[in-house]
């Protein structure tokens, strides 16, 4: 099940990645911001000054809007930020720290960031290679 807010934020993110900070991407992001009682962004806003700035704002809104819904892990992996802790957080926990704690090991194996590809898929499509570590 997907929430409407998740779909709107995915649309804003995809539009930004495709074309940069367009009026359409900003409008979709503003739907979420307005519902949360935040001021609207415009193309002159510092959060929409460029592709990276809008990506950062969309990521921030995803973190706030989808808190405790299990989406953050995938956002961090998608942006390859599994080794970075959020600088605005009070605690510095990375995805690799979570893996280390779950597996009760001294080091985190980056291979655990990806799931194994099912054997049926590997047998069906010979062009697919198994993820590292499996």
């Amino acid at each position: 099940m997907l929430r409407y807010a998740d779909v709107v934020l995915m649309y804003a993110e995809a539009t930004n990645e495709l074309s940069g900070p367009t009026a359409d991407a900003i409008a979709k992001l503003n739907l979420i911001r307005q519902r949360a009682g935040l001021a609207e962004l415009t193309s002159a806003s510092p959060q929409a000054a460029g592709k990276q700035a809008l990506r950062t704002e969309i990521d921030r809104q995803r973190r706030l809007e989808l808190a405790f819904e299990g989406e953050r892990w995938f956002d961090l992996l998608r942006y390859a930020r599994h080794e970075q802790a959020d600088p605005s957080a009070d605690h510095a926990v990375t995805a690799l720290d979570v893996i280390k704690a779950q597996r009760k090991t001294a080091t985190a194996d980056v291979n655990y960031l990806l799931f194994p590809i099912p054997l049926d898929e590997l047998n069906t499509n010979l062009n697919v290679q198994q993820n590292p570590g499996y």
Side-chain angles (χ1 to χ4, degrees), residues 4-5 10 17 28 63 78 93 102 110 126 130:
Y4 180 67
M10 282 189 284
E17 293 301 316
K28 296 301 186 236
R63 188 177 75 229
R78 186 171 61 254
V93 177
Q102 290 292 321
V110 294
L126 299 178
Q130 183 61 270

Side-chain angles (χ1 to χ4, degrees), residues 77-93:
L77 293 182
R78 186 171 61 254
Y79 285 126
R81 290 181 20 212
H82 51 274
E83 294 181 359
Q84 294 176 321
D86 184 353
S88 67
D90 291 336
H91 51 81
V93 177

Side-chain angles (χ1 to χ4, degrees), residues 12-124:
E13 180 180 344
T15 303
N16 182 54
E17 293 301 316
L18 185 63
S19 315
T22 63
D24 190 27
I26 294 169
K28 296 301 186 236
L29 181 58
N30 280 334
L31 288 174
I32 304 304
R33 291 177 58 86
Q34 287 171 352
R35 194 185 63 71
L38 300 173
E40 283 190 23
L41 295 180
T42 66
S43 57
S45 300
Q47 297 96 328
K51 189 177 195 176
Q52 180 59 43
L54 190 58
R55 179 186 298 144
T56 301
E57 180 60 22
I58 291 169
D59 180 52
R60 181 176 171 275
Q61 292 304 320
R62 285 187 62 80
R63 188 177 75 229
L64 296 172
E65 181 69 28
L66 306 172
F68 307 109
E69 294 183 21
E71 300 294 329
R72 189 69 185 147
W73 174 265
F74 300 104
D75 291 345
L76 291 173
L77 293 182
R78 186 171 61 254
Y79 285 126
R81 290 181 20 212
H82 51 274
E83 294 181 359
Q84 294 176 321
D86 184 353
S88 67
D90 291 336
H91 51 81
V93 177
T94 67
L96 293 176
D97 292 332
V98 173
I99 290 172
K100 215 173 7 179
Q102 290 292 321
R103 303 209 39 93
K104 297 179 174 108
T105 60
T107 59
D109 187 351
V110 294
N111 291 324
Y112 289 111
L113 292 171
L114 299 173
F115 289 117
I117 297 173
L119 185 59
D120 287 345
E121 183 64 30
L122 293 171
N123 291 337
T124 304

